[in-house]
Amino acid sequence: QVQLQQSGAELAKPGSSVKISCKASGYTFTSYDISWIKQTTGQGLEYIGYINTGSGGTYYNEKFKGKATLTVDKSSSTAFMQLSSLTPEDTAVYYCARDTNWFAYWGQGTLVTVSS
Amino acid sequence: DIQMTQSPSLLSASVGDRVTLSCKASQNIYKYLNWYQQKLGEAPKLLIYYTNSLQTGIPSRFSGSGSGTDYTLTISSLQPEDVATYFCQQYNSWPTFGAGTKLELK
């Protein structure tokens, strides 16, 4: 069965970076893009962008350009998102999800807390 | 960005009720509209895609309709396990989500 397994919760200091992983299983990894979605209580669900897992091509929501960097390791069927120059506004649950139009498969979410 | 407005933000209903949730787009999204259910502490679950296509494994009491800017998710007979927050999402352009409707039991 399709599964997306994300890395564990992160506690980071302002100004630092974190890298979240999303390991896919149960399907051909390079056949589907991986999207990343941010969820906060205040802003709700926000689409960060996606990576073409075959070519490595990346597409970002304008709001997250410079904040998020998406990469992929095809050998391990894992997608990554690095968040840089963290501020308290980056505190959120981050999800990976398969595909780009509708999201039938989601990771379990990774809580990133930014605090000094 | 296309703005998605959901109403109501909070809905109380009884088991067995027919429940209707609304989602309005800031411009025509040509039926490129999905619905998700999210329970506390879980990832969202896809219920309906492309306005009215039921995702595999989702009970038939869930249905979707709409066109243009106005869309609806209907639960024909509310069950206790349907208590959750429901989100709409458009993909006519860069995906955006509504703020959600929280559904609780009366």
Side-chain angles (χ1 to χ4, degrees):
Chain A
Q1 71 283 22
V2 174
Q3 288 190 327
L4 299 173
Q5 182 67 37
Q6 295 185 228
S7 50
E10 300 267 7
L11 174 60
K13 294 193 182 304
S16 68
S17 299
V18 296
K19 191 171 186 177
I20 302 168
S21 65
C22 171
K23 183 173 176 58
S25 59
Y27 71 98
T28 301
F29 181 65
T30 52
S31 294
Y32 296 88
D33 299 329
I34 291 288
S35 293
W36 291 87
I37 296 156
K38 177 183 182 182
Q39 186 171 32
T40 59
T41 304
Q43 296 297 316
L45 292 158
E46 296 180 278
Y47 190 73
I48 295 170
Y50 72 94
I51 186 164
N52 181 307
T53 53
S55 68
T58 53
Y59 306 86
Y60 298 97
N61 183 339
E62 197 68 33
K63 177 179 178 179
F64 293 94
K65 286 183 179 177
K67 170 62 64 179
T69 302
L70 306 182
T71 56
V72 67
D73 177 6
K74 289 188 280 187
S75 69
S76 64
S77 299
T78 303
F80 300 91
M81 178 173 68
Q82 178 164 317
L83 299 169
S84 60
S85 303
L86 291 169
T87 72
E89 288 66 44
D90 296 317
T91 294
V93 175
Y94 293 88
Y95 292 100
C96 62
R98 199 180 79 168
D99 223 333
T100 54
N101 289 331
W102 56 80
F103 311 114
Y105 300 98
W106 296 65
Q108 81 276 24
T110 297
L111 174 62
V112 174
T113 303
V114 182
S115 174
S116 55
Chain B
D1 288 2
I2 296 176
Q3 308 303 315
M4 305 301 292
T5 302
Q6 291 188 243
S7 60
S9 55
L10 176 63
L11 180 59
S12 297
S14 300
V15 173
D17 282 355
R18 182 180 181 87
V19 171
T20 300
L21 285 64
S22 295
C23 178
K24 186 175 182 67
S26 59
Q27 64 190 70
N28 191 340
I29 57 171
Y30 303 97
K31 296 191 173 185
Y32 295 121
L33 190 284
N34 309 317
W35 289 96
Y36 299 86
Q37 175 194 69
Q38 187 176 31
K39 297 182 179 180
L40 201 61
E42 298 181 2
K45 176 194 291 186
L46 178 67
L47 301 175
I48 302 282
Y49 60 96
Y50 193 53
T51 293
N52 57 15
S53 295
L54 191 67
Q55 173 66 0
T56 302
I58 301 302
S60 59
R61 64 179 179 273
F62 291 93
S63 64
S65 63
S67 63
T69 61
D70 295 305
Y71 297 84
T72 298
L73 174 70
T74 300
I75 307 173
S76 60
S77 178
L78 186 66
Q79 300 301 303
E81 60 266 31
D82 299 336
V83 169
T85 300
Y86 292 83
F87 297 97
C88 60
Q89 173 240 324
Q90 67 78 25
Y91 59 103
N92 179 63
S93 63
W94 200 256
T96 53
F97 295 83
T101 291
K102 186 175 182 179
L103 179 58
E104 63 178 27
L105 287 179
K106 192 181 292 184

